Amino acid sequence: MIDIAIKENLEAYLLQRGVIKKADGYTLKYCEGGVSCTVAFVYAGEKPLIIKQGLSKLKVAEEWLCDPNRMGIEYYSNAVYHRLAPDCAPEVYFYDEENYIYGREAVPENCSMWKADLLSGLVDFSVAEKTIRTLALVHNGCAGDKETAARFADKNIFYELRISPYIEFTVGKHTELKDFAKPVIDELMGSAVTLVHGDFSPKNIMVVGRNPSILDYEVAHYGHPSFDIAFVSNHLILKAVKNKQWAGAYISMLNYALDIYFSTIKCLPAKELEKSFVRLLSLLMLARVDGKSPVEYLTLETDKELVRAMAYRIPRQGIDSYKEMLPLFLSDLSQKEKN
């Protein structure tokens, strides 16, 4: 298998495929910071491209292995998003199954990462609304679709990249939550409701103007929609922990987004889905401080303890509604800000 992390290999590969031509000129530049893929920008012609190759061993402290064929999953799921929401997902170009390499349209260079915007205090309700409406559109649009269900039926990569490192590994440190976590895991692994993105995070959402462009679909599968809504909600809550001075804005925006999602979702009864979402959220919160991939911006132990305390509220108080959960979280955050 060719290794495109070596620039000479990448250049030769793209020349052979006709993606670039020496006569036309081109520039190749690697992206930094990813843990699961080698990613390169290709500047050639009028449309810049992104080239990605899946890694079999992720670049994290704990040993974390995963099937690199998830690039095929990314290619086909990106194509579904582009078909249903072309303004909010890039166009795909090719997938090389032998080398686990995938090519797609690059987002404009003047975009910003939603994660960076949020961490800087830019809380844009318009971006949140368009993002969450796109998620609901895909969840509704793929529900009951037999072709999509068959293509994304395999959940091995979802298990390897999400269930095992995020939930099972974390519960290994919080053994008192074993009975709470088991039905959550069973539901995620046993459900076949709709296409689930699997990494619906602000780091994978680029903002172009005030429009989101959703990226990184390698964990997509046909499963339970609670995972996506819990995954993105978790990141907004964690940013409120990091920047407590803006906690009210983050929580207000999250409440607004959840109102939109649960009022438009049709693939499951909203109340049933909400209960699943809240239970899963508590485990994902713990995972980002005690799992295999903790968020890098929560460095203070006091912040980590706050996340743990907030997460434990849900199982200990039997919370199953975000309307009950969010005011309690905001109270916790406000109290810490005062102290």
Side-chain angles (χ1 to χ4, degrees):
M1 185 182 79
I2 187 172
D3 180 5
I4 67 166
I6 300 169
K7 193 170 186 180
E8 292 79 7
N9 291 350
L10 172 63
E11 184 175 19
Y13 176 82
L14 295 175
L15 285 167
Q16 185 201 8
R17 288 192 68 98
V19 176
I20 58 176
K21 296 179 180 178
K22 290 206 174 206
D24 297 337
Y26 52 83
T27 303
L28 309 178
K29 179 181 177 183
Y30 287 99
C31 305
E32 303 295 331
V35 301
S36 65
C37 302
T38 298
V39 184
F41 280 101
V42 179
Y43 300 90
E46 296 182 359
K47 279 191 172 182
L49 288 78
I50 288 288
I51 305 296
K52 296 182 68 173
Q53 182 175 44
L55 302 176
S56 57
K57 185 178 186 300
L58 277 62
K59 296 178 282 187
V60 294
E62 301 280 354
E63 185 174 45
W64 192 348
L65 306 176
C66 190
D67 182 357
N69 195 44
R70 62 189 182 275
M71 289 297 96
I73 294 174
E74 174 154 11
Y75 171 78
Y76 289 110
S77 50
N78 189 160
V80 171
Y81 264 75
H82 183 72
R83 173 172 58 83
L84 293 175
D87 293 337
C88 296
E91 183 180 0
V92 295
Y93 297 139
F94 71 87
Y95 176 56
D96 176 356
E97 186 173 349
E98 181 180 350
N99 291 293
Y100 312 116
I101 298 173
Y102 144 75
R104 65 160 171 82
E105 173 188 11
V107 295
E109 286 191 271
N110 62 347
C111 72
S112 61
M113 183 188 293
W114 195 27
K115 172 184 175 180
D117 287 350
L118 289 166
L119 284 171
S120 73
L122 178 55
V123 182
D124 190 330
F125 278 55
S126 176
V127 172
E129 177 178 355
K130 291 171 185 173
T131 298
I132 216 68
R133 286 194 186 280
T134 300
L135 182 63
L137 175 69
V138 173
H139 283 174
N140 286 332
C142 293
D145 185 317
K146 292 181 180 179
E147 183 180 342
T148 303
R151 180 177 291 282
F152 297 99
D154 190 340
K155 293 183 181 176
N156 286 335
I157 290 173
F158 174 61
Y159 176 81
E160 291 172 352
L161 288 183
R162 293 294 175 263
I163 300 297
S164 176
Y166 278 72
I167 301 180
E168 291 180 341
F169 182 86
T170 304
V171 171
K173 294 184 176 182
H174 296 268
T175 54
E176 63 271 42
L177 293 177
K178 184 177 179 181
D179 291 341
F180 177 79
K182 186 180 184 308
V184 175
I185 295 171
D186 289 347
E187 183 172 60
L188 292 173
M189 292 302 296
S191 298
V193 178
T194 191
L195 181 64
V196 176
H197 183 287
D199 199 5
F200 205 77
S201 160
K203 75 177 175 61
N204 295 328
I205 298 169
M206 301 299 118
V207 181
V208 184
R210 300 188 73 189
N211 293 309
S213 183
I214 298 162
L215 310 177
D216 289 0
Y217 303 81
E218 65 190 75
V219 198
H221 60 283
Y222 207 79
H224 201 284
S226 63
F227 192 85
D228 284 340
I229 193 67
F231 206 77
V232 68
S233 297
N234 185 33
H235 282 281
L236 295 178
I237 291 166
L238 295 175
K239 286 163 184 61
V241 174
K242 172 64 176 177
N243 295 317
K244 298 175 193 63
Q245 71 273 30
W246 303 319
Y250 292 126
I251 298 299
S252 179
M253 186 174 71
L254 176 56
N255 183 75
Y256 175 69
L258 292 174
D259 283 349
I260 292 170
Y261 181 83
F262 285 106
S263 66
T264 56
I265 200 67
K266 293 179 173 57
C267 61
L268 280 176
K271 199 62 189 174
E272 173 189 330
L273 178 52
E274 183 182 3
K275 289 179 181 180
S276 298
F277 150 68
V278 171
R279 290 171 65 86
L280 172 59
L281 177 62
S282 66
L283 297 172
L284 292 182
M285 290 175 68
L286 290 172
R288 298 321 297 262
V289 293
D290 293 324
K292 281 192 175 183
S293 182
V295 291
E296 80 288 353
Y297 53 82
L298 291 184
T299 56
L300 298 176
E301 188 56 34
T302 52
D303 283 345
K304 296 176 185 180
E305 283 297 333
L306 176 57
V307 172
R308 295 181 188 113
M310 292 166 66
Y312 265 95
R313 271 188 176 276
I314 291 168
R316 286 176 176 166
Q317 297 179 224
I319 297 171
D320 60 10
S321 164
Y322 70 89
K323 290 296 186 183
E324 179 183 1
M325 174 187 73
L326 293 181
L328 293 172
F329 282 2
L330 185 56
S331 175
D332 292 338
L333 291 161
S334 299
Q335 188 63 37
K336 283 293 182 181
E337 172 66 5
K338 290 176 184 176
N339 294 340

